[in-house]
């Protein structure tokens, strides 16, 4: 069923253009006669990101130094940056000239998209007018435009220097102009009456549509600049991606692409689709066909996307004539390979004898963007050629996204505060609808507080098993015996209790497992024994001691095309990593033989010239031996600024006897937050590389060939 709007007849279009010109003239007269808002009636809302936090002090300066009608400033800031933001605010206020009219500045924590954070904060404000900023504040604006924004006129619609003009399907960036021009919607900075934002909107386009829908002249805003020097603002990526592409309602005759599979998205409404657009567009750009059903959307409407050159189409049950999801699926022209649904009662009726069905909790949808990087084979769980020549099947013989079973195993003894920190980070993790079992391994000498923490912990993503040794074993058996794979689809995340995790640690692991274990045959590699969550900042195996290490610098110096690529290393990670089933079983066998001395004496040096030969009580000493002899490697992340999926707090324990500040700083890493400027897909080409494109390092951090 086609829902595309038809162009109006030429005569009607001319009349509309004339009416629009008259309306704009009327608005211009109204703006010219409008008075300036009263001091104290304007709140400025400013988002902060991990990039802009460094300039927040200067960004606040115009509000504090210039003649301003702003009485309040709300800074929306990721929780991880609150301390830095407070300091920047204090310094900005200290540097400002003395005045009786300094605005009150408050901080509001948020995690996620800064645009959504601003728009969610606005309905809570009490002043008559609102000045909406992006994280750059007043950058690129003339002094006159800045003054206009800080003491605006009392207009009854949004006014600002930057915006988008045109209609759906034919949008363009509005170049700066002194003349007043109409806009479909504005982009920050702009001001508007607070009465226009009584509900939460998802993006600037959504707000513009709401404003235009309430007016006879259909204006979404007014463009007004006063000699702004930055005429190239349209090409700034954060602005450009806000107007280039459209969402279209569908045509039932839309042809299918033949290059890839058919991906079906069952989503409740248009706002959910907007949240997933980066992901959906990526799937489509990979050559797959897309079909989208909005099963709870009561309206037929148009929206704007945040993706460059991407158009997607959707159906809505309210207009398709198909009352249920199964009816709609039955009428598709071909059977889907993948059905992506929100995990809620309305979608439980979705069934398929062929498709991989992926059900994602609603709260995880904003962070599912990494799934757009997966190939069709990875979605389908392709053949594991190197040890199990069979497709990824569930008990019913259907392809199943959930066949890889990832289990978490925690090793703890007598650090209850550390254990609570680790468990809190697990609770904050995003698991995208997977069932994940959790095993707590306590030493015989675990204290009562540690046992209490284990007993009290609530885990909502799968089964929990608690185990406590009756005879003290030490760290080596505590780690090695903490997990044993029950099948070749079983994967173990091993965590000592001084580790803390990023909320996206599970996404990194699943993305890697699907690519290098279940994807195309060329990317399935038997030497890969696991995936590290921790990003190496030091190499500890040099015979003469620890050395700083920066993979990005190493790759740049050796002309590796993209220094941001993840890499392979022979070093097993003990500060958060997933291990693969065949290699962990093999390690059990190797360690049992090694400790029994049936093949060699325990003192024998297997790996020459490495510091781990002195680690007599460490399981890593023996794993390094096995890796060295058999040519195995582990995948490591390599994000900017050492942003990591796990960090080590270097607590006092079996192998750490003191923790001076310089030593802590050498090992503790910044974690990838949900609202971080560093993303999972900050990778070459926005996806994990092909196997043969991964650089490989030896035990001492030098590039080698596999």
């Amino acid at each position: 069923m086609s829902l595309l709007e038809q162009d109006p007849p030429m005569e009607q279009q001319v009349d509309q253009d004339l009416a629009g010109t008259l309306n704009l003239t009327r608005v211009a007269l109204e703006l010219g006669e409008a008075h300036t808002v009263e001091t104290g009636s304007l709140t400025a809302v400013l988002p902060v990101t991990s990039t802009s936090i460094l300039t927040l002090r200067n960004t606040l300066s115009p509000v504090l130094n210039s003649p301003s009608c702003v009485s309040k400033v709300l800074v929306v800031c990721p929780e991880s940056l609150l301390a830095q933001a407070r300091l920047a605010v204090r310094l900005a206020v200290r540097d400002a000239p003395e005045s009786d009219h300094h605005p009150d500045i408050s901080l509001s924590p948020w995690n996620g998209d800064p645009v959504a954070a601003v728009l969610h904060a606005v309905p809570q404000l009490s002043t008559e007018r609102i000045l909406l900023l992006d994280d750059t504040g007043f950058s690129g604006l003339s002094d006159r435009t800045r003054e206009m924004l800080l003491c605006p006129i009392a207009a009854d619609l949004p006014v600002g220097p930057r915006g988008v003009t045109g209609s759906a399907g034919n949008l363009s960036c509005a170049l700066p102009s002194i003349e007043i021009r109409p806009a479909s919607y504005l982009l920050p900075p702009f001001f508007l009456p607070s009465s226009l934002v009584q509900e939460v909107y998802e993006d600037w386009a959504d707000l513009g549509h709401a404003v235009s829908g309430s007016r006879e002249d259909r204006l979404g805003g007014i463009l007004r600049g006063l000699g702004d020097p930055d005429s190239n603002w349209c090409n700034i990526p954060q602005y450009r991606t806000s107007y280039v592409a459209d969402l279209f309602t569908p045509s039932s005759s839309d042809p299918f692409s033949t290059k890839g599979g058919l991906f079906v998205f069952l989503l409740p409404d248009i706002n959910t689709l907007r949240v997933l657009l980066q992901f959906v567009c990526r799937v489509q750009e990979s050559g797959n066909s897309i079909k989208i059903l909005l099963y709870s959307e009561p309206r037929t409407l148009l929206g704007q996307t945040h993706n460059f050159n991407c158009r997607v189409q959707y159906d809505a049950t309210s207009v398709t004539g198909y009352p249920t999801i199964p009816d709609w699926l039955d009428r598709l022209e071909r059977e889907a390979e993948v059905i992506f649904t929100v995990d809620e009662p309305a979608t439980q009726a979705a069934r398929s004898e062929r498709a991989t069905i992926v059900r994602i909790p609603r709260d995880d949808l904003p962070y599912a963007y990494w799934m757009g990087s997966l190939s069709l084979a990875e979605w389908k769980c392709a053949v594991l050629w190197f040890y199990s020549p069979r497709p990824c099947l569930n008990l019913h013989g259907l392809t199943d996204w959930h066949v890889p079973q990832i289990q978490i195993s925690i090793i703890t003894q007598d650090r209850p505060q550390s254990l609570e920190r680790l468990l809190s980070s697990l609770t904050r993790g995003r698991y995208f609808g997977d069932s994940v079992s959790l095993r707590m391994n306590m030493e015989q000498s675990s204290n009562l507080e540690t046992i209490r923490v284990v007993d009290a912990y609530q885990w909502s993503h799968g089964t929990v098993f608690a185990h406590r040794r009756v005879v003290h074993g030490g760290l080596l058996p505590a780690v090695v015996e903490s997990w044993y794979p029950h099948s070749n689809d079983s994967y173990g995340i091993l965590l000592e209790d001084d580790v803390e995790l990023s909320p996206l640690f599970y996404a990194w692991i699943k993305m890697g497992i699907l690519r290098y274990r279940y994807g195309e045959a060329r990317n399935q590699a038997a030497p890969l024994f696991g995936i590290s969550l921790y990003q190496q900042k030091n190499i500890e195996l040099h015979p003469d001691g620890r050395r700083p290490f920066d993979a990005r610098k190493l790759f740049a110096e050796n002309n590796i095309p993209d220094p941001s690529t993840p890499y392979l290393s022979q070093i097993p990670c003990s500060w958060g990593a997933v291990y693969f089933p065949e290699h962990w079983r093999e390690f059990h066998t190797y360690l049992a033989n090694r400790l029994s001395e049936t093949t060699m004496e325990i003192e024998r040096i297997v790996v020459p010239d490495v510091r781990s030969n002195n680690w007599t009580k460490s399981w890593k000493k023996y794993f390094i031996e096995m890796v060295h002899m058999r040519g195995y490697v582990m995948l490591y992340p390599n994000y900017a600024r050492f942003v990591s999926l796990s960090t080590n707090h270097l607590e006092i324990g079996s192998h750490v006897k003191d923790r001076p500040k310089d030593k802590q700083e050498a090992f503790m890493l910044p974690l990838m937050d949900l609202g971080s400027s560093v993303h999972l897909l900050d990778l070459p080409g926005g996806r994990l590389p092909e196997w043969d494109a991964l650089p490989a390092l030896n035990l001492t951090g030098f590039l080698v060939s596999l």
Side-chain angles (χ1 to χ4, degrees):
M1 176 179 179
S2 175
L3 302 178
L4 289 172
E5 296 183 345
Q6 302 297 317
D7 292 332
M10 183 61 68
E11 295 82 359
Q12 182 182 348
Q13 189 168 338
V14 171
D15 290 344
Q16 289 175 350
D17 291 343
L18 179 60
T21 301
L22 294 174
N23 284 331
L24 186 59
T25 302
R26 178 180 58 79
V27 170
L29 290 173
E30 291 176 358
L31 293 179
E33 297 173 356
H35 61 84
T36 302
V37 301
E38 296 179 2
T39 300
S41 63
L42 184 66
T43 296
V45 185
L46 171 69
V48 175
T49 65
S50 58
T51 302
S52 68
I53 187 67
L54 302 175
T55 56
L56 176 59
R57 182 178 174 185
N58 293 331
T59 303
L60 289 169
S61 179
V63 183
L64 298 169
N65 295 353
S66 306
S68 171
C69 299
V70 176
S71 61
K72 297 178 182 178
V73 179
L74 178 65
V75 178
V76 287
C77 176
E79 292 184 22
S80 60
L81 300 178
L82 283 174
Q84 291 174 262
R86 289 191 187 97
L87 177 60
V89 169
R90 285 200 298 270
L91 294 175
V93 172
R94 185 197 67 183
D95 295 343
E98 291 187 11
S99 171
D100 295 332
H101 303 291
H102 278 165
D104 295 329
I105 303 177
S106 58
L107 297 176
S108 175
W110 63 270
N111 286 305
D113 177 50
V115 174
V118 169
L119 289 170
H120 279 66
V122 167
Q124 315 302 320
L125 303 177
S126 57
T127 53
E128 293 180 5
R129 309 273 162 179
I130 303 167
L131 171 60
L132 298 179
L133 304 168
D134 65 13
D135 61 343
T136 64
F138 301 92
S139 176
L141 301 177
S142 69
D143 290 343
R144 291 180 64 199
T145 298
R146 187 171 61 225
E147 291 170 3
M148 175 193 77
L149 293 168
L150 289 170
C151 262
I153 56 176
D156 63 352
L157 76 174
V159 179
R162 296 172 178 170
V164 173
T165 61
S167 58
N170 189 29
L171 294 172
S172 61
C173 163
L175 296 176
S177 172
I178 295 178
E179 296 180 0
I180 292 173
R181 299 176 61 191
S184 298
Y185 58 93
L186 299 186
L187 300 170
F190 64 90
F191 59 86
L192 76 170
S194 57
S195 59
L196 295 182
V197 241
Q198 295 302 306
E199 59 181 278
V200 174
Y201 300 101
E202 294 304 318
D203 52 32
W204 307 122
D206 199 21
L207 173 58
H209 293 152
V211 172
S212 64
S214 66
R215 298 177 59 90
E216 292 183 3
D217 55 21
R218 311 302 292 176
L219 290 176
I222 287 295
L223 290 161
R224 189 184 195 188
L226 300 172
D228 297 313
D230 187 3
S231 62
N232 197 41
W233 74 269
C234 297
N235 291 322
I236 300 173
Q238 72 188 74
Y239 291 117
R240 186 177 185 182
T241 56
S242 294
Y243 68 83
V244 172
D246 301 320
L247 278 171
F248 284 84
T249 52
S251 168
S252 60
S253 59
D254 181 48
F256 287 102
S257 166
T258 58
K259 288 194 279 187
L262 172 59
F263 280 68
V264 167
F265 291 86
L266 303 177
L267 309 175
D269 50 42
I270 190 68
N271 290 330
T272 307
L273 176 55
R274 287 175 180 153
V275 168
L276 289 171
L277 263 171
Q278 179 184 357
F279 165 24
V280 173
C281 289
R282 190 73 183 273
V283 171
Q284 183 169 264
E285 290 163 4
S286 299
N288 300 292
S289 298
I290 298 294
K291 282 291 183 180
I292 301 170
L293 176 67
L294 307 183
Y295 54 81
S296 297
E297 180 58 64
R299 301 167 293 165
T300 304
L301 45 76
L302 296 172
Q304 306 303 322
T305 180
H306 289 273
N307 290 79
F308 180 72
N309 201 26
C310 169
R311 295 182 178 184
V312 298
Q313 299 178 317
Y314 63 83
D315 284 337
T317 52
S318 60
V319 291
T320 57
Y322 304 145
T324 67
I325 289 174
D327 290 337
W328 183 85
L329 290 172
D330 288 343
R331 286 164 174 78
L332 293 177
E333 297 175 22
R334 63 187 261 203
E335 194 169 2
E337 274 74 29
V338 177
I339 298 176
F340 181 99
T341 81
V342 180
D343 190 10
E344 56 188 22
T347 66
Q348 294 306 309
R351 295 284 185 269
S352 174
E353 294 183 359
R354 178 186 174 192
T356 295
I357 299 180
V358 180
R359 302 181 188 277
I360 302 296
R362 188 183 282 260
D363 289 346
D364 288 349
L365 294 177
Y367 316 107
Y369 59 86
W370 60 273
M371 296 182 186
S373 72
L374 300 176
S375 69
L376 181 59
E378 290 154 20
W379 280 101
K380 299 285 290 180
C381 290
V383 176
L384 300 166
W385 63 269
F386 57 84
Y387 68 79
S388 179
R390 59 177 177 80
C392 183
L393 302 177
N394 64 18
L395 295 177
H396 305 289
L398 304 179
T399 53
D400 191 348
W401 164 271
H402 300 294
V403 163
Q405 292 294 307
I406 301 173
Q407 304 166 356
I408 298 173
S409 187
I410 295 173
I411 300 97
T412 188
Q413 181 176 338
D414 55 3
R415 297 186 292 210
Q417 291 79 18
S418 301
L419 177 61
E420 284 188 315
R421 181 181 57 217
L422 169 59
L423 294 176
S424 294
S425 69
L426 282 170
T427 299
R428 292 191 298 270
R430 302 289 172 167
Y431 301 93
F432 304 97
D434 281 3
S435 176
V436 182
S437 63
L438 177 64
R439 179 182 172 107
M440 312 264 213
N441 299 279
M442 294 175 283
E443 182 58 273
Q444 177 270 338
S445 53
S446 293
N447 57 29
L448 292 176
E449 183 61 16
T450 299
I451 296 171
R452 183 199 65 77
V453 171
V454 170
D455 289 343
Y457 184 63
Q458 299 294 313
W459 177 247
S460 59
H461 302 283
T463 60
V464 179
F465 179 79
H467 174 263
R468 184 183 179 194
R469 298 181 66 96
V470 295
V471 176
H472 186 84
L475 190 56
L476 187 153
V479 173
V480 176
E481 297 175 8
S482 68
W483 172 71
Y484 194 83
H486 64 82
S487 77
N488 283 340
D489 295 312
S490 176
Y491 301 86
I493 301 174
L494 306 185
L495 303 171
E496 296 184 36
D497 57 15
D498 60 350
V499 168
E500 185 178 5
L501 301 172
S502 155
L504 294 171
F505 82 96
Y506 188 84
W508 163 254
I509 283 175
K510 182 130 186 182
M511 183 168 62
I513 286 176
L514 291 175
R515 186 150 188 81
Y516 300 118
R517 299 277 292 184
Y518 295 89
E520 289 82 359
R522 65 180 180 273
N523 289 325
Q524 298 182 27
L528 187 67
F529 68 78
I531 300 172
S532 174
L533 295 167
Y534 186 83
Q535 182 158 326
Q536 294 185 104
K537 196 176 180 181
N538 299 276
I539 298 291
E540 294 193 279
L541 296 180
H542 291 279
D544 51 352
R546 182 187 311 115
R547 292 184 182 177
F549 175 74
D550 186 341
R552 299 170 74 91
K553 182 179 178 182
L554 174 68
F555 297 164
E557 291 172 349
N558 286 273
N559 299 314
I560 288 176
D562 193 331
S564 68
T565 181
Y567 60 91
L568 304 171
S569 171
Q570 291 187 299
I571 301 174
C573 178
S574 58
W575 297 329
V578 62
Y579 285 84
F580 294 172
E582 318 92 290
H583 307 87
W584 197 253
R585 286 196 206 97
E586 187 179 355
F587 178 50
H588 269 251
T589 302
Y590 175 81
L591 186 60
N593 290 335
R594 187 77 168 88
L595 296 179
S596 68
E597 301 188 82
T598 55
T599 55
M600 67 180 81
E601 65 279 5
I602 197 69
E603 294 83 10
R604 180 173 173 179
I605 301 298
V606 176
V607 187
D609 301 322
V610 291
R611 192 160 157 251
S612 58
N613 289 325
N614 302 321
W615 299 349
T616 57
K617 296 182 179 180
S618 172
W619 65 274
K620 286 175 65 175
K621 163 186 166 69
Y622 302 105
F623 205 105
I624 288 168
E625 292 179 357
M626 186 182 80
V627 163
H628 174 73
M629 291 189 293
R630 297 173 187 176
Y632 293 159
V633 285
M634 172 170 265
L635 180 72
Y636 276 81
N638 185 23
Y639 291 104
R641 303 189 299 277
F642 292 101
V643 170
S644 184
L645 285 308
S646 72
T647 190
N648 170 36
H649 285 270
L650 208 71
E651 307 281 9
I652 301 295
S654 298
H655 300 311
V656 178
K657 304 306 177 186
D658 61 349
R659 53 195 304 261
K661 184 176 181 181
D662 60 336
K663 193 173 181 181
Q664 292 180 57
E665 291 176 351
F667 287 97
M668 290 184 64
L669 302 177
L671 292 172
M672 185 180 293
D673 269 338
L674 296 177
S676 173
S677 62
V678 177
H679 297 283
L680 280 171
L681 295 186
D682 288 346
L683 301 166
R687 65 179 72 241
L688 286 171
E690 301 288 315
W691 173 258
D692 58 9
L694 291 168
L697 309 180
N698 65 9
L699 290 169
T700 50
F702 290 94
L703 286 165
V704 295
S705 298
L706 288 180

